[in-house]
Amino acid sequence: MNFPTLDYRKSVFTLTNYLQQLQSYSQKLYLANLRVKIDDTLEHLETNSFTIGVFGNFNCGKSTFINAFIGQHILPTDILATTATISRIVHRATPGATICFKNGSKQNISLEQLADFVTKLTSDAEKRAESLQESIIYYPIPYYQNQLEIIDTPGLNDDGEMTAITSEFIEHCDVAIMLISAISPFGITEGEFLTTKLLANGITKILFVVNFIDLLNPADIEKIIKLISDRIEQSIQAWAEQQPHPQEILDKLGKIQIHGISAFQALEAKATRNIPLLAQSWFVNFECALRTVINQERGLIQLQTTCDRTTTYATEILSHVKHQESELAVEISQLNKAKETINHRVNELRRQKAELMTSFNHTLSNIKKQANFSDSLLQTQLKASAKSTISSTEFTIDKQSDIAKLILTAVQKATNDVVKQIQSEIINSSSLCLIELKKFIQLCEQFINDLELDNHKILEIISLFNQYNHKLSQLKSLSVSFPGNSEIFCFTQETSGVGTAAGAAIGFFILGPIGGGIGAAIGAAAGGNQRANKFKENYPIQVMAVIENQLKTMNLNQQVSRYISEVFSPIEKLENLLVAEVNSMLNDMQNQLAEYCGKQEVINQTKQQYFSKIQVEITKIISEMQHFSQQLSQISA
């Protein structure tokens, strides 16, 4: 290896360093599959391994082709799809084989036993092959030394599982040999495999081999090879044009190497030492090109392949980091939205709480004010009732007892009506407060459920509310009655001789002594009428005075105030308990929210900084690899 502008060991060291960085990132980012790939690439680079993969459709002669390399009938061959697993061919002085099973166990066998494990020639062999991971074939091949291995893969168009096995192995290859049948010259399946599998996975050193030229008319060999070459170039060109840097891809591939051979003739010639037949097979020309790759271009190919894979790994990590960054941005947005939503809900609950307190205090204040006017209201109603009774009754002194009874009945009824009215207003006001309190409790319940909180105290208050709501329906009525009996409205009539004396004087003056007696009689009658009229005029005043005196003994204001306290004190207590607990809950929530969001913001900021750092370092690695790849392309040109 003579690279005048390239220090191979330094390049390996640099690539190793970058791969180790990517390995560390893949571990920190939990990219397990990628880490396995990087580990394999590192081991491949550190052990100076060089892997050549042989790919092609089934029945294109891959196993015969590899047997021709070895010079012996080692791998089983058949006209049907034969290879059922990956087979590695490596150099060792003593021929033999090792079967590696998927469960991790291994079994050493002779080369003669291979067909029983790695083929589909019998149903038993095919079933046994399903449990295999790979087979390793040992054979003394001189130019296979120095960590060189050639891989025989299952046919591409055999079945889905075999194609998957072949595709998975590509990532381990440095060089690809793509075997094409001369009698089925490079179809769509092969074109897709070339571009989407080999080229897409960074395999840029590809040797195209056209097999079965011995089955062609000699005059048609060059035409068939030219046809295949054109189809390959068209596939590559069409695929490259869809990539970000098409010319860079074409430069890496360089000129297509395509060789026509007869693997069957080459194998027979080597086995029988038939030199003319070996020359006729054109296999020597291909082997010469392959040995040039192995002996002269190996180091450059290894560096290029490793460089491309390093770029691929770095790009995958960069893409993952950008995806993580996008997800983090969504998480931050969701956190901010959740914070905003919770704060809005908290503030809304605070507003509802303030409205509840204002409404409750307003209702309680109004009902207490009304209690202070209870006496006045009752007095007004009683006097009006008494006046109405008096005015609607024919009044005579001798019927005063009857009128007193009517007045007592009227004022008692008026008292009951006023007390019922006051009680109704108190109960209605308390019901309104309870309705408002219930609405707020429902808001609290919804708040607790929506945010999945665990607040036993508020639940206990809700239970107390339900209990009191039930007790309110069993609350005793406001019991106030007008005291006394009808006699309090019966008053003594005043007597006076003024009318009699005046009548007698007038009669005596006019009629003499006889007239005095007649005048006295007439004066007495007139005085009686005057007293009756005077009594009737004073009776309502006396009734009103009695009502006022009785009201003083009733002290309705104080009784109503006690009743209001009896009704509203439990509600006020519930409201105070609920408000206090809601305040505590909301304060705790906002403190916890602020603490959580603060910690999360620090975590998110740390993540953002970490992602930014990775992106800078990964971008640097990709840039270095692009520069290194250009340098390699210039050297290989």
Side-chain angles (χ1 to χ4, degrees):
M1 295 180 292
N2 182 23
F3 305 142
T5 60
L6 184 70
D7 187 327
Y8 178 79
R9 291 185 178 179
K10 184 177 179 180
S11 298
V12 170
F13 176 81
T14 301
L15 288 170
T16 301
N17 183 49
Y18 284 148
L19 285 169
Q20 287 173 344
Q21 289 184 49
L22 298 179
Q23 183 186 50
S24 175
Y25 289 140
S26 65
Q27 182 177 358
K28 291 176 181 178
L29 296 171
Y30 303 102
L31 302 174
N33 292 336
L34 181 61
R35 185 185 175 188
V36 170
K37 294 178 183 179
I38 296 174
D39 289 346
D40 290 343
T41 302
L42 268 172
E43 182 181 5
H44 198 70
L45 184 63
E46 291 169 354
T47 59
N48 194 30
S49 299
F50 195 68
T51 302
I52 302 172
V54 181
F55 305 96
N57 289 338
F58 80 87
N59 270 344
C60 68
K62 290 193 308 300
S63 297
T64 302
F65 172 75
I66 293 176
N67 283 338
F69 271 111
I70 300 173
Q72 294 291 334
H73 290 273
I74 301 298
L75 297 178
T77 59
D78 195 81
I79 59 172
L80 298 177
T82 303
T83 305
T85 187
I86 294 289
S87 292
R88 298 176 183 268
I89 297 91
V90 298
H91 173 81
R92 197 169 74 176
T94 304
T98 298
I99 301 300
C100 302
F101 295 91
K102 291 179 180 178
N103 62 9
S105 62
K106 296 181 181 181
Q107 180 180 346
N108 294 324
I109 63 173
S110 65
L111 294 179
E112 289 76 15
Q113 294 175 286
L114 268 178
D116 295 332
F117 288 90
V118 300
T119 69
K120 300 180 180 181
L121 296 178
T122 66
S123 58
D124 289 341
E126 185 172 4
K127 185 175 181 180
R128 193 180 297 113
E130 291 177 358
S131 64
L132 300 186
Q133 182 70 35
E134 64 179 9
S135 64
I136 305 175
I137 299 170
Y138 307 104
Y139 204 81
I141 306 173
Y143 59 89
Y144 271 30
Q145 299 181 38
N146 300 323
Q147 299 298 317
L148 175 68
E149 59 182 10
I150 290 183
I151 312 298
D152 182 26
T153 62
L156 301 179
N157 53 352
D158 181 357
D159 60 42
E161 185 177 354
M162 294 299 101
T163 300
I165 292 173
T166 299
S167 299
E168 183 180 349
F169 176 73
I170 292 172
E171 297 178 0
H172 302 278
C173 289
D174 296 291
V175 174
I177 297 175
M178 192 163 184
L179 203 62
I180 304 162
S181 173
I183 57 179
S184 179
F186 200 77
I188 295 175
T189 302
E190 292 164 306
E192 289 180 349
F193 181 80
L194 167 64
T195 55
T196 63
K197 298 299 182 182
L198 295 179
L199 298 182
N201 279 280
I203 305 297
T204 56
K205 189 62 179 181
I206 305 172
L207 301 178
F208 296 95
V209 179
V210 180
N211 195 16
F212 302 130
I213 62 169
D214 54 312
L215 302 180
L216 299 176
N217 187 321
D220 294 332
I221 293 177
E222 292 297 330
K223 292 179 183 179
I224 293 297
I225 291 177
K226 178 67 168 58
L227 173 64
I228 293 173
S229 179
D230 290 343
R231 289 182 176 180
I232 291 172
E233 287 182 351
Q234 289 170 6
S235 295
I236 293 173
Q237 185 69 38
W239 179 80
E241 288 174 356
Q242 299 176 2
Q243 307 309 309
H245 306 288
Q247 192 56 49
E248 184 178 330
I249 293 172
L250 296 175
D251 290 342
K252 286 181 182 179
L253 288 172
K255 186 178 180 180
I256 293 176
Q257 296 185 44
I258 185 166
H259 304 271
I261 67 161
S262 169
F264 175 76
Q265 289 179 339
L267 176 58
E268 291 301 315
K270 286 188 177 183
T272 59
R273 300 182 180 277
N274 188 333
I275 302 302
L277 184 60
L278 184 60
Q280 185 180 341
S281 71
W282 290 15
F283 200 80
V284 175
N285 295 338
F286 168 72
E287 277 193 307
C288 182
L290 181 59
R291 290 189 183 189
T292 299
V293 169
I294 295 172
N295 296 328
Q296 298 180 25
E297 301 176 16
R298 173 174 174 169
L300 197 61
I301 292 171
Q302 283 179 313
L303 293 179
Q304 182 66 69
T305 303
T306 306
C307 174
D308 291 342
R309 286 175 182 160
T310 302
T311 301
T312 300
Y313 302 151
T315 302
E316 185 174 341
I317 291 174
L318 186 61
S319 175
H320 178 78
V321 169
K322 287 182 177 180
H323 179 71
Q324 290 288 95
E325 199 171 40
S326 297
E327 288 188 342
L328 180 61
V330 172
E331 288 179 10
I332 292 173
S333 176
Q334 290 175 341
L335 177 64
N336 291 334
K337 186 176 180 180
K339 179 181 177 181
E340 182 180 340
T341 300
I342 292 174
N343 280 329
H344 174 74
R345 292 289 301 274
V346 168
N347 292 333
E348 180 64 18
L349 198 60
R350 288 190 188 279
R351 185 186 67 79
Q352 295 283 353
K353 179 204 65 178
E355 287 184 0
L356 171 71
M357 293 176 65
T358 301
S359 175
F360 182 85
N361 292 334
H362 179 72
T363 300
L364 187 58
S365 175
N366 285 343
I367 204 69
K368 285 182 178 180
K369 286 179 182 178
Q370 290 180 19
N372 294 331
F373 295 101
S374 297
D375 279 345
S376 298
L377 174 63
L378 182 59
Q379 180 174 300
T380 300
Q381 294 295 328
L382 293 185
K383 286 182 177 180
S385 178
K387 285 180 181 180
S388 176
T389 301
I390 293 171
S391 63
S392 63
T393 304
E394 183 179 351
F395 188 85
T396 58
I397 295 174
D398 56 341
K399 293 182 178 181
Q400 183 183 184
S401 176
D402 295 334
I403 294 172
K405 291 178 180 179
L406 292 173
I407 292 173
L408 180 63
T409 301
V411 296
Q412 286 179 334
K413 181 179 183 304
T415 300
N416 290 335
D417 290 344
V418 169
V419 169
K420 285 181 179 179
Q421 177 187 345
I422 293 172
Q423 178 178 317
S424 177
E425 290 177 356
I426 293 171
I427 296 300
N428 288 339
S429 296
S430 68
S431 296
L432 289 175
C433 287
L434 285 172
I435 290 172
E436 293 298 319
L437 188 59
K438 184 176 181 179
K439 287 180 181 179
F440 184 67
I441 284 174
Q442 290 173 341
L443 287 174
C444 291
E445 283 185 299
Q446 188 66 44
F447 184 85
I448 290 171
N449 292 333
D450 289 349
L451 299 181
E452 298 180 354
L453 303 177
D454 184 16
N455 195 309
H456 296 293
K457 290 185 178 179
I458 288 184
L459 297 178
E460 290 173 3
I461 294 171
I462 293 172
S463 177
L464 290 174
F465 168 81
N466 293 331
Q467 292 174 22
Y468 178 73
N469 210 10
H470 176 69
K471 288 180 180 179
L472 186 63
S473 62
Q474 302 173 342
L475 191 67
K476 291 181 180 180
S477 300
L478 177 61
S479 180
V480 179
S481 60
F482 189 84
N485 51 42
S486 61
E487 292 180 359
I488 61 175
F489 295 116
C490 294
F491 308 108
T492 303
Q493 181 181 5
E494 294 181 359
T495 59
S496 174
V498 175
T500 302
I506 294 170
F508 182 82
F509 178 75
I510 296 174
L511 300 176
I514 297 173
I518 295 171
I522 294 171
N529 288 333
Q530 185 179 10
R531 286 194 304 275
N533 290 332
K534 186 67 175 177
F535 183 78
K536 186 176 181 178
E537 179 182 347
N538 290 333
Y539 187 76
I541 297 173
Q542 291 175 305
V543 168
M544 297 307 131
V546 169
I547 289 174
E548 289 178 3
N549 288 331
Q550 293 300 100
L551 284 173
K552 289 177 182 178
T553 62
M554 290 171 64
N555 199 0
L556 183 60
N557 283 359
Q558 185 175 356
Q559 293 191 64
V560 170
S561 294
R562 281 199 299 267
Y563 190 75
I564 290 173
S565 177
E566 184 180 353
V567 172
F568 276 88
S569 289
I571 303 176
E572 193 171 12
K573 181 180 179 181
L574 282 173
E575 187 229 16
N576 290 336
L577 284 172
L578 183 60
V579 167
E581 189 54 41
V582 167
N583 281 337
S584 176
M585 176 182 73
L586 296 182
N587 290 337
D588 288 346
M589 173 172 288
Q590 286 192 306
N591 290 336
Q592 291 173 8
L593 180 64
E595 182 180 359
Y596 172 78
C597 290
K599 290 180 179 178
Q600 200 60 42
E601 286 169 3
V602 171
I603 293 172
N604 291 339
Q605 186 178 10
T606 302
K607 285 183 178 179
Q608 285 177 322
Q609 291 173 349
Y610 180 63
F611 289 152
S612 297
K613 178 185 176 184
I614 291 179
Q615 289 187 65
V616 170
E617 294 181 358
I618 294 293
T619 302
K620 179 183 176 183
I621 291 175
I622 293 174
S623 177
E624 290 290 335
M625 290 300 96
Q626 288 174 343
H627 177 73
F628 184 56
S629 180
Q630 291 172 359
Q631 187 179 7
L632 292 173
S633 296
Q634 292 172 0
I635 294 172
S636 62

